[in-house]
Amino acid sequence: ADSVDTYDFSGLPISGITARSTWAQIETPNNTFNWSKLDAAVSTARAYGLYVYLHTTPGIYSPTWPYSNGVDSVVLDGNKKCPIPWDPDFIDVHWADFITKCGQRYDGVDVVKYVAISGPNSRSVEMALAKSDTERALWISAGFDTALIINTWKKCIDYFAAAFPHTQIVLNVTSVMQVTYTEGIAEQVVAYGA
């Protein structure tokens, strides 16, 4: 099954489900939203008395329209286009607006217990950009630096906190850190969000 609403959760020893979607699945044309996948997960969770851990993924799963609106990008392994996370047109305009729209729809919903903070990542909601030496070189040539990525994560924490004031927000820290493996990136971001 490709949607959580087709599962029977009766009698399973679980307390929640993950509602996962990509930005491109939700907002393919600019300002046109298809929330059906996440709404189905919320309905299913409610029907079975479960909570929802909600996350939406940008990066290579971003819609194409931001690129024609000025968002800079790199092409990662597998010929996947990815917005440059610290590009103000991406993070402060389009992604911030999308987060706001998500919050307007899901903040305070009874079964939505957690929302993953995302934005400066490439393939998941975890704090990772590069998966290969080739990608590390791409990010460095695109202007990656430690202070810039920390600041971008801080902005995302602020955007999610503003959009979801009644819902717990979660940072998915990973040991596969960033581009240069500079010590302290995760620690500084976590300290800011604490």
Side-chain angles (χ1 to χ4, degrees):
D2 110 22
S3 179
V4 71
D5 61 326
T6 62
Y7 291 98
D8 181 357
F9 293 101
S10 301
L12 294 179
I14 61 171
S15 56
I17 57 175
T18 299
R20 193 179 315 190
S21 190
T22 69
W23 183 17
Q25 290 171 326
I26 297 170
E27 189 182 12
T28 299
N30 189 6
N31 284 316
T32 301
F33 299 89
N34 178 357
W35 302 104
S36 61
K37 184 175 180 181
L38 297 179
D39 286 350
V42 167
S43 294
T44 298
R46 191 173 285 124
Y48 288 97
L50 303 172
Y51 72 81
V52 172
Y53 169 46
L54 181 118
H55 65 81
T56 54
T57 309
I60 63 172
Y61 304 108
S62 297
T64 58
W65 61 263
Y67 304 120
S68 60
N69 288 341
V71 170
D72 289 328
S73 64
V74 296
V75 178
L76 300 179
D77 295 348
N79 203 31
K80 302 284 187 178
K81 197 170 196 176
C82 184
I84 295 177
W86 48 88
D87 175 352
D89 286 328
F90 167 69
I91 205 71
D92 298 322
V93 178
H94 302 301
W95 186 241
D97 181 63
F98 177 74
I99 294 165
T100 299
K101 298 288 192 315
C102 284
Q104 290 168 349
R105 187 160 190 98
Y106 297 108
D107 181 47
V109 170
D110 60 335
V111 296
V112 178
K113 189 169 184 176
Y114 306 105
V115 176
I117 300 167
S118 57
N121 26 28
S122 61
R123 291 175 176 81
S124 71
V125 294
E126 294 178 347
M127 293 179 66
L129 279 176
K131 74 170 193 172
S132 69
D133 289 337
T134 302
E135 288 187 3
R136 285 182 193 89
L138 281 170
W139 287 118
I140 290 168
S141 70
F144 175 91
D145 97 352
T146 301
L148 195 55
I149 200 67
I150 290 169
N151 186 52
T152 303
W153 273 108
K154 288 177 178 181
K155 286 180 178 185
C156 282
I157 290 169
D158 292 344
Y159 294 146
F160 275 88
F164 291 93
H166 306 101
T167 307
Q168 295 180 53
I169 57 175
V170 177
L171 187 62
N172 289 277
V173 180
T174 179
S175 61
V176 183
M177 285 309 300
Q178 302 308 332
V179 175
T180 60
Y181 297 103
T182 302
E183 292 299 318
I185 292 175
E187 292 81 359
Q188 289 183 55
V189 172
V190 168
Y192 180 80

